[in-house]
Amino acid sequence: MTLSVPAPPAAPPTAPPSNVVRRGDGRAALGFLAPSTSGFLLFTLIPLVGSLAISFFAWPVLGRRRFVGLDNFVELLTDPIFHRVMLNTLVFVVVYVPLNIVVSLGLALWISPRIRGRGIYRLLFFIPTVTPMIANALVWRLLYQPGGAIDQAFQTVLGMPAPNFLGDNRWAMAAVILMSVWQGFGYNMLVFSAGLDAIPQSLHEAASIDGAGPLRRFWSVTLPMLSPSMFFAMIMTLITSFQVFVQPYALTAGGPGVATETMVLHLYKEGFQQFDLGTASTIGWFLFMIIMLVTALQFLGQKRWVHYDD
């Protein structure tokens, strides 16, 4: 008599480890990365390095180019017109960024979930942001100019003409800033509105039970919970405000004199009106270093006031 021994069950097929690199994976990865890498090289890295090299040359569009070292940087630092241009840019940033943040936050609080027709208000406030900047600037130019809607309103209500907003040194920069705030607050309003929606209502209810009033709840609950959104909005607004160009270009062309000429507008004039590419590249690198410094300071300082929900 013989005993039959059952065969052991066949081992299930094992899947190859997920971390095994198969032949051809590298070429496939390079193929997927090639379009974005090529775009980065062609449109970002090579122009960036090229502009840095040009900034060390006297580089007219037509004519002989010669190496001048740091002379372009020294000339700009000793140029009184460039000092005024930097001051104009700084004034624009210092006034525009807080105004933009305050107006955006105020409107985001106003269109809280309690208000009826919230979506319509969001759409209306966002329309200026998606409208072409040059179109907005031309409309505001018609409003500002003598004989425009604002001037006529002044004469009707006060019996006197309005100031020449775009032709007066005292009003030109304020006119540019006001138009920029109107055009730019919609984006930050949406950022703040989304941030407010993400704050749990239970926090406000707990603060109310503890006796906190509306102002105390806003200061101790809303602002800390909204701080990441505020930090993001502030960084983006700072960077774009240093690069302001279309508003002064379309409204005043930098005038009267150089009262509203900003760094990017000055760069444009040097590069495409004076055809001095060396000086224009140097202005671009000045602007790059200023934005990098301010952004780095913002990131270093965020630990003191930005609260992330871990």
Side-chain angles (χ1 to χ4, degrees):
M1 180 178 181
T2 60
L3 296 176
S4 60
V5 179
T14 58
S18 59
N19 58 350
V20 173
V21 179
R22 294 174 299 181
R23 180 176 297 177
D25 283 358
R27 288 193 295 272
L30 287 176
F32 282 113
L33 289 174
S36 58
T37 305
S38 302
F40 174 75
L41 289 175
L42 287 176
F43 300 111
T44 302
L45 186 60
I46 293 177
L48 197 65
V49 175
S51 69
L52 178 61
I54 292 174
S55 67
F56 296 111
F57 285 81
W59 194 298
V61 174
L62 299 175
R64 183 172 174 271
R65 299 150 191 170
R66 57 188 176 83
F67 181 77
V68 295
L70 296 176
D71 286 358
N72 287 334
F73 291 88
V74 175
E75 287 179 7
L76 280 178
L77 289 175
T78 56
D79 183 3
I81 294 179
F82 187 65
H83 294 168
R84 179 58 192 269
V85 167
M86 291 184 69
L87 178 63
N88 291 341
T89 308
L90 184 63
V91 168
F92 181 87
V93 172
V94 168
V95 178
Y96 168 74
V97 174
L99 274 178
N100 183 297
I101 297 296
V102 169
V103 172
S104 305
L105 180 59
L107 289 175
L109 289 169
W110 180 57
I111 58 169
S112 63
R114 298 174 185 174
I115 195 170
R116 181 175 296 178
R118 183 188 187 206
I120 297 176
Y121 286 116
R122 274 182 167 179
L123 175 63
L124 291 176
F125 292 145
F126 195 63
I127 286 178
T129 304
V130 296
T131 305
M133 179 81 78
I134 189 68
N136 287 333
L138 291 178
V139 170
W140 276 84
R141 185 173 180 174
L142 293 175
L143 295 175
Y144 280 140
Q145 67 184 8
I150 297 177
D151 187 30
Q152 292 179 6
F154 262 69
Q155 295 188 22
T156 302
V157 177
L158 303 176
M160 56 183 293
N164 186 358
F165 293 106
L166 301 180
D168 191 325
N169 286 338
R170 297 168 297 177
W171 291 96
M173 181 56 78
V176 172
I177 292 173
L178 179 61
M179 179 262 153
S180 302
V181 171
W182 179 84
Q183 200 276 335
F185 73 82
Y187 179 80
N188 285 341
M189 182 211 65
L190 283 186
V191 172
F192 292 147
S193 183
L196 289 170
D197 291 347
I199 299 177
Q201 188 62 28
S202 58
L203 295 179
H204 291 284
E205 294 172 356
S208 298
I209 293 173
D210 289 341
L215 186 60
R216 184 65 177 174
R217 291 199 302 272
F218 173 75
W219 188 258
S220 301
V221 177
T222 303
L223 278 185
M225 295 298 292
L226 197 61
S227 56
S229 300
M230 294 184 68
F231 176 67
F232 171 78
M234 193 171 295
I235 286 290
M236 298 304 294
T237 309
L238 266 173
I239 292 174
T240 55
S241 60
F242 272 111
Q243 298 172 342
V244 60
F245 169 72
V246 176
Q247 300 94 313
Y249 177 77
L251 288 175
T252 63
V258 290
T260 57
E261 189 164 321
T262 58
M263 291 184 72
V264 177
L265 182 54
H266 192 59
L267 183 156
Y268 169 79
K269 288 184 175 180
E270 289 290 336
F272 298 99
Q273 292 182 358
Q274 304 297 327
F275 302 110
D276 185 355
L277 300 185
T279 302
S281 297
T282 309
I283 296 171
W285 274 93
F286 266 119
L287 184 61
F288 174 77
M289 288 186 287
I290 291 173
I291 291 176
M292 284 292 293
L293 177 63
V294 173
T295 305
L297 291 177
Q298 287 288 321
F299 271 92
L300 289 175
Q302 66 156 329
K303 298 176 183 176
R304 296 179 178 272
W305 65 278
V306 180
H307 305 275
Y308 293 102
D309 186 14
D310 296 329

